[in-house]
Amino acid sequence: MTSEPAARPGAGTLRHDALFYRTDDDYVTGIRSFVEAGLVAGEPVLIAVPGIRLDLLRTALGAGTELRFVDMAREGRNPGWIIPGVLHAFVEEHAPARVRVVGEPVWPGRSVLAYPRCVQHEALINIALAGRAVSVLCPYDAARLDVDVIADAASTHPFLIRDGDRQASAGYGRPESVVDSFNRPFPTPPSSASTLFFEAPGLSGMRAMVAALAREAGLDGDQVEDLRVAANEIATNAVVHSGRPAVARVWLDADGLICEITGTSVLTDRLAGRIPPSPVSDTGRGLLLVNYLCDLVQVHTDSTSTTIRLHMHRRAEPATGPAPTTGT
């Protein structure tokens, strides 16, 4: 049985633990202990795990109104959307009450391209939700995930749980440093990429290029429009903030289409696109919207530029269902 701390966290204290499990029994036991402690305390509970795990947990925990289940493989397919669309949304919905979240952002089979953003996501939880009334438990499959993944989990979680024992993580790192360590250059785009240099008057041409290539790639109508909107948000920021030309590159990959935009302005806010702005703010919504629309958003900055890659995957079927963070 996973042990709870001797004292319950205060109303405004973030608790962020990694649960290392090796079997289904370990998985269920660790999560059940965490969930039941929250229910006893009257805390709303969100369970956001990949769909292949949902039935296991629904059977083990029951599907009462106290529990909300979310398919992380769908709602968290873009790691940049997990904090604003899943965690922050649930915290705000129940504020000022304390809540509990089981969030599994990394699992065997998770996209290699998405992984660096997953680690950054885990580190950013410690900044974005600092001082908030939330306990977050992040399960990691210690039997099947690479040892480097387990080490990264130790660097992003202040406490680790193994075999029911909760201990401070000796490998925990400063969140900002972890985020920066995964700010890595991208591989060079293929020579087949369509390339367009543009300034503010050329934004309409950039949008037209992206939409045309998205249709040729076999994306459905909604995806074409979503990618066009997302590319316009990034491209507009690139030329408006710097006042200088930017470049867009678009190419096919095995999953669908990638649109890369590079501008000479430097994105310095690590939480950009991760926290909804104040309702009265006129800024801060662009990258948030992009994180919602795209299947993956990758960001790399250096001392002179910012490059953002937008990924849109072909759908086997038309997407249906509720918006992120809804559903039980």
Side-chain angles (χ1 to χ4, degrees), residues 157-179:
H157 294 80
F159 286 85
L160 311 177
I161 300 173
R162 291 186 177 91
D163 299 323
D165 184 31
R166 181 175 185 259
Q167 298 287 338
S169 173
Y172 181 67
R174 182 172 174 267
E176 295 85 352
S177 297
V178 175
V179 172

Side-chain angles (χ1 to χ4, degrees), residues 213 217-219 251-258 311-314:
L213 293 172
L219 302 184
W251 66 94
L252 291 170
D253 74 348
D255 297 316
L257 200 69
I258 300 174
H311 297 244
M312 195 68 79
H313 300 159
R314 297 183 194 87

